[in-house]
Amino acid sequence: TTTAVSAQTLISVEYKGTLVKTISNIGLAGFGLTAKNDIDYYTVLYTMDNLSGRQDTVSGLYVCPSNVDPSSRYPTLVYQHGTTDTKFGVPSRSMPGQDLPYIFATQGYATIAPDFLNMGDDQEGFHPYVHARTEADAAIQMMAALRNDPIYSDLINEQLFLTGYSQGGHASMALHEILIEEFPA
């Protein structure tokens, strides 16, 4: 549903590491879950329009099942993070295995987690807190940019799940509304 979006450019997908099921299970114990997959995690840099309408480089985290059957396909899950008190309290800067995107990936989701505009690697400018359009665009543009990279495009099926908490709940609702209005099935 995101291939019609223009303006995004994938700048880089940087492999950061792998977590094996046995290590992932340590973090899952409190949730009553068991890891179903080893996972790989990446920092993604891509572009989107900022509030001035100029291209800005933004960041996010991509976490996916690894060492899987090449014919396996997984749903995409967009995780929108909550309010942070620093521009670095974002998914791409989280400790491996210590944030929800990692947990979702162990359960079989290709998980993308945008950092939002002016957060993470995008340190220029003011973060437009609870600004529906930029929150949604960060996710839409990240999905569209990753569609050009086989580590994402070769792994996903057509299912899409959205989740978030705090500001991320607002972001997920904004994303849902824009997907329905601008990318109808």
Side-chain angles (χ1 to χ4, degrees):
T1 59
T2 58
T3 56
V5 176
S6 60
Q8 88 292 335
T9 302
L10 181 61
I11 295 173
S12 67
V13 178
E14 182 182 352
Y15 172 76
K16 301 302 262 185
T18 297
L19 292 175
V20 296
K21 287 190 278 191
T22 54
I23 293 172
S24 297
N25 279 332
I26 295 168
L28 295 175
F31 294 96
L33 298 171
T34 301
K36 297 177 182 175
N37 303 290
D38 296 346
I39 55 174
D40 292 335
Y41 54 101
Y42 305 82
T43 299
V44 178
L45 296 179
Y46 60 102
T47 61
M48 67 177 272
D49 287 345
N50 62 22
L51 290 173
S52 301
R54 293 190 309 266
Q55 288 285 292
D56 202 353
T57 299
V58 291
S59 56
L61 175 70
Y62 172 57
V63 190
C64 61
S66 63
N67 300 324
V68 295
D69 178 332
S71 65
S72 295
R73 297 290 179 263
Y74 297 94
T76 297
L77 184 141
V78 178
Y79 168 76
Q80 309 264 45
H81 70 84
T83 305
T84 69
D85 58 358
T86 172
K87 289 185 174 195
F88 298 109
V90 295
S92 70
R93 303 289 178 106
S94 64
M95 291 291 293
Q98 301 299 313
D99 202 358
L100 289 171
Y102 298 95
I103 293 171
F104 294 132
T106 68
Q107 300 304 299
Y109 294 93
T111 306
I112 71 162
D115 291 340
F116 298 145
L117 185 63
N118 301 122
M119 300 190 80
D121 285 354
D122 179 15
Q123 292 295 303
E124 293 183 29
F126 176 74
H127 170 59
Y129 178 72
V130 191
H131 185 264
R133 187 70 214 201
T134 59
E135 291 169 339
D137 281 349
I140 291 168
Q141 300 297 344
M142 187 173 176
M143 283 188 289
L146 278 171
R147 284 220 183 255
N148 298 319
D149 195 298
I151 65 156
Y152 177 71
S153 62
D154 290 353
L155 194 64
I156 62 168
N157 63 29
E158 294 301 315
Q159 293 179 300
L160 176 64
F161 295 87
L162 311 177
T163 188
Y165 73 96
S166 184
Q167 180 182 359
H170 178 269
S172 293
M173 295 308 296
L175 175 58
H176 181 260
E177 180 179 37
I178 289 171
L179 290 173
I180 294 299
E181 289 176 359
E182 297 180 16
F183 304 96

